[in-house]
Amino acid sequence: MEAINKKKTIVITGGAGGIGTACAKALKDHKLVITDYSNDAVDEAVKSLTKEGYDAVGIACDITKKDDVVKLMKFSLNHGDFGGIIHTAGVSGSGQKPKNVFNIDLVGTDIVIDEFYKIATKNSVLVLFSSIMGHTIPPNDEYDAALLNPQKEDSFSTVAKFVNDDADMMYNFAKRGVLLLLKENAFRIGQKGARIVSVSPGVIMTPMGLKAAEEHADRINKMIEVTPLGKTGTPEDIAEVVKFLISDKANFITGSDILIDGGILTSLLKEGKE
């Protein structure tokens, strides 16, 4: 596939994870900036990619801290002109507290958008990661206002009233927030000639997904049963769509979320109405 610009860099957050790694491996024509929370994980990912012939560098980053994201942004500019960011970093609700999920999945995304907007130029692309579960949360003026402004002091407490201390439910709300941020930022990013898109994966067998399958086997099996394609997805399924979205072949797509779910969302929404 034709690259955006071989001299430009593509930043991949969560780059040591299953989907982040798959995205990196789909982008051999690009300069890659790999980032993740752990220094060791970043070093290992960069070492592995370099060994396979990729042009990759890395830096650790806590996406919930603005100073860290600014440091990541400047690091990427030191390695070439900005071509795009693939923001895969995030956590599921499993084993997490609701506030951690809110901060990592939504506050972190808001910070990433704000900082990389500053260096967005014509033909650069921001790819966010939502989830099919974000689509299951209905509109509501009160929590939507908080989801759209997650860095405000009272936003977490506003959303928390609706999730009953359930981290899995907070995940769903946070991912709705990502969809709202996508729409909210499309115009201002578009005025720079840049694009912002998101993808919403279904049941994907990443290391996180495999762990969830072990802990909640009945739930995962039920989800597969109601998936029209009757199977789970792979990180490579996600990476191929992302590869298209950052290419010039998608240069008239912005403000859009792409479902990569084997059709399961249709079944989930249908069940919710019954």
Side-chain angles (χ1 to χ4, degrees), residues 198-263:
S198 69
V199 296
S200 286
V203 184
I204 308 298
M205 285 299 103
T206 62
M208 186 187 297
L210 290 168
K211 182 180 179 183
E214 291 175 2
E215 295 175 353
H216 309 285
D218 291 343
R219 182 180 174 188
I220 296 297
N221 287 335
K222 174 61 177 175
M223 292 185 79
I224 294 173
E225 286 177 12
V226 299
T227 300
L229 290 183
K231 62 180 181 178
T232 60
T234 68
E236 289 73 25
D237 291 328
I238 308 301
E240 286 302 314
V241 176
V242 170
K243 180 179 179 180
F244 165 72
L245 288 172
I246 69 163
S247 76
D248 58 0
K249 293 183 179 181
N251 66 9
F252 202 53
I253 300 175
T254 195
S256 298
D257 177 74
I258 310 297
L259 294 168
I260 315 173
D261 69 341

Side-chain angles (χ1 to χ4, degrees), residues 23 29 39 70 82 90-91 101 108 110 189 194 234 271:
C23 288
D29 289 337
N39 271 304
V70 170
F82 177 64
V91 294
V101 175
D110 197 33
I189 288 174
T234 68
E271 284 184 354

Side-chain angles (χ1 to χ4, degrees), residues 3 24 64 95 109 112 128 178 204:
T64 68
T109 297
V112 165
L128 310 180
V178 173
I204 308 298

Side-chain angles (χ1 to χ4, degrees), residues 4 8 82-83 117 119-126 185-196 250-254:
I4 300 170
K8 292 187 176 182
F82 177 64
Y117 163 79
I119 63 170
T121 56
K122 186 177 180 180
N123 296 326
S124 60
V125 189
L126 284 72
N185 284 279
F187 191 81
R188 69 164 180 154
I189 288 174
Q191 290 202 306
K192 285 190 160 191
R195 299 186 290 113
I196 182 169
N251 66 9
F252 202 53
I253 300 175
T254 195

Side-chain angles (χ1 to χ4, degrees), residues 97-118:
K97 294 182 178 181
K99 190 157 191 179
N100 288 341
V101 175
F102 184 85
N103 285 342
I104 295 170
D105 290 349
L106 188 55
V107 174
T109 297
D110 197 33
I111 293 171
V112 165
I113 293 170
D114 282 349
E115 296 309 317
F116 279 87
Y117 163 79
K118 295 173 183 177

